[in-house]
Amino acid sequence: METLVITDVSPRDGLQNQPVALDTEAKLALIRLLAAAGVPSVEATSFVSPKAVPQMADAGELVPLLNRALPDLRSSALVPNLKGLERAHAAGVREIAVVLSATETMNRRNINMDLAQATDVSARTVDEARRLGLRTRAYVAVAFECPFEGPVPLAAVERCSARLLEAGADELVIADTIGAAAPGQVSERLAAISRSVPLERLAVHFHDTRGMGVANAWAALQAGVRRFDASAGGIGGCPFAPGAAGNLATEDLVLMAEQSGFHTGISLPDLLEAVDFAEAQLQRPLGGRSTAWLRRRMTRVTSPEATAG
Ligand code: COA
Ligand code: ZN
């Protein structure tokens, strides 16, 4: 059986845009539940400007607590620049992620840099992180469509990817930041990108805005990708990318993958505990396309009345 490596980004992508800010203890509790469900990798937080994203202002407190609580869990933190890297390194982060958007306007809105500057800063950050002995992920954001500039040329995505790989990124993450991609495009783009990027270094990050998250993940699987981002309960979205709904829900991805014969190492009943916890914390219903069905099935399996009937 082939294994998928899923990075749950709910603690970062999921929480960065929520009206209710979780405290550090609650974030740690969420990550503990994800780890207990067998999630092999989490994106725990981001070391960005607290003015830009107040929800992530406690990154420096969270990371040491997390490293102590779950020393064996693979976890990463997003950093937008060298200052973020410095803060992350000081906190004890072992893996970082940089975000380079494939368009001018998205970089401006997200990190206040033009494309050339953002490319240079991302590459230097990856390079410096490697020098510090950290593992590196590099996102190419808005890799399909930009909320400001519309459809993004494949050549722009390929240029960003090449530069980030050249800088030495261990993993390249092709991100559909606003959830605008369709499976046909995913197949086409990944076929092109995987001509120059080894599949074992390629990951994908989908949002489910148009209900095509699972279909896009299937297209990526068919293209040979085995590394996926997803978010428990489908929470997520970039505050600087208007129109981005939640991420592809981890439970949807796990269900699709396991039912299709792939191994994820993630227990769905246990993952639902993380979703329930996030729901209680955020005080609103969460979940992907399959969550209601999964919950009904779990109730049937676990409740004696239901099984007796
Ligand atoms: N962490 C914390 N503070 C940071 C920082 C970081 N990584 N990078 C810069 N700063 C601080 C500077 O020290 C400076 O502080 P001061 O005002 O007290 O002197 C202030 O932020 C402005 O610095 P500057 O370099 O001019 O940054 P900016 O205002 O142009 O903002 C970013 C650039 C990248 C820091 C900011 O846009 C950002 O954090 N963006 C992240 C967006 C994000 O998280 N998006 C979602 C994930 S994709
Ligand atoms: Zn995202």
Side-chain angles (χ1 to χ4, degrees):
M1 225 195 222
E2 271 199 87
T3 300
L4 301 193
V5 179
I6 296 178
T7 296
D8 193 295
V9 297
S10 61
R12 195 278 302 172
D13 205 346
L15 297 180
Q16 70 183 3
N17 203 13
Q18 301 294 332
V20 179
L22 265 60
D23 63 26
T24 312
E25 279 305 320
K27 290 176 181 176
L28 185 60
L30 173 63
I31 298 171
R32 275 184 196 277
L33 288 168
L34 295 171
V39 169
S41 162
V42 298
E43 191 173 71
T45 186
S46 60
F47 288 83
V48 299
S49 157
K51 278 186 208 131
V53 187
Q55 291 89 337
M56 297 289 120
D58 64 345
E61 284 87 60
L62 177 64
V63 167
L65 289 174
L66 172 60
N67 284 346
R68 223 170 302 137
L70 298 162
D72 299 327
L73 177 69
R74 180 181 159 199
S75 63
S76 56
L78 187 149
V79 304
N81 54 17
L82 287 165
K83 163 132 193 193
L85 173 62
E86 193 186 301
R87 288 179 59 214
H89 184 55
V93 163
R94 294 182 292 253
E95 176 168 0
I96 57 110
V98 297
V99 186
L100 173 58
S101 299
T103 66
E104 290 288 345
T105 321
M106 191 61 223
N107 282 303
R108 269 271 164 245
R109 299 292 181 105
N110 193 36
I111 53 175
N112 196 25
M113 297 175 209
D114 63 27
L115 178 57
Q117 246 180 315
T119 306
D120 185 51
V121 167
S122 301
R124 275 170 39 209
T125 305
V126 166
D127 187 57
E128 178 64 14
R130 275 166 43 91
R131 219 184 47 78
L132 293 169
L134 308 187
R135 199 172 181 279
T136 55
R137 308 181 86 211
Y139 284 100
V140 179
V142 297
F144 296 87
E145 196 172 313
C146 170
F148 308 106
E149 297 186 19
V152 175
L154 173 60
V157 178
E158 289 181 316
R159 268 195 303 275
C160 293
S161 305
R163 193 67 195 82
L164 292 165
L165 278 183
E166 202 181 285
D170 296 305
E171 198 171 308
L172 187 75
V173 192
I174 301 298
D176 180 20
T177 308
I178 59 169
Q185 280 174 300
V186 171
S187 308
E188 223 176 86
R189 292 215 157 181
L190 291 176
I193 293 165
S194 62
R195 279 199 283 274
S196 46
V197 184
L199 278 169
E200 58 285 1
R201 286 171 72 185
L202 199 56
V204 286
H205 175 109
F206 293 119
H207 284 254
D208 207 11
T209 316
R210 302 186 189 178
M212 285 191 254
V214 163
N216 288 338
W218 178 249
L221 264 174
Q222 294 298 300
V225 173
R226 296 293 179 264
R227 296 176 182 274
F228 290 81
D229 280 7
S231 172
I235 48 171
C238 175
F240 307 100
N247 287 64
L248 167 61
T250 308
E251 55 271 34
D252 286 350
L253 177 62
V254 170
L255 182 64
M256 179 274 270
E258 298 268 346
Q259 230 181 299
S260 306
F262 293 90
H263 176 71
T264 64
I266 298 176
S267 146
L268 280 167
D270 293 342
L271 183 63
L272 288 186
E273 308 249 331
V275 177
D276 290 346
F277 177 79
E279 199 166 79
Q281 289 289 323
L282 296 171
Q283 300 153 37
R284 66 182 178 85
L286 302 176
R289 312 279 154 175
S290 67
T291 319
W293 178 84
L294 283 169
R295 280 182 171 137
R296 284 198 302 276
R297 197 192 60 163
M298 301 308 160
T299 319
R300 266 209 311 279
V301 170
T302 52
S303 108
E305 311 88 80
T307 41

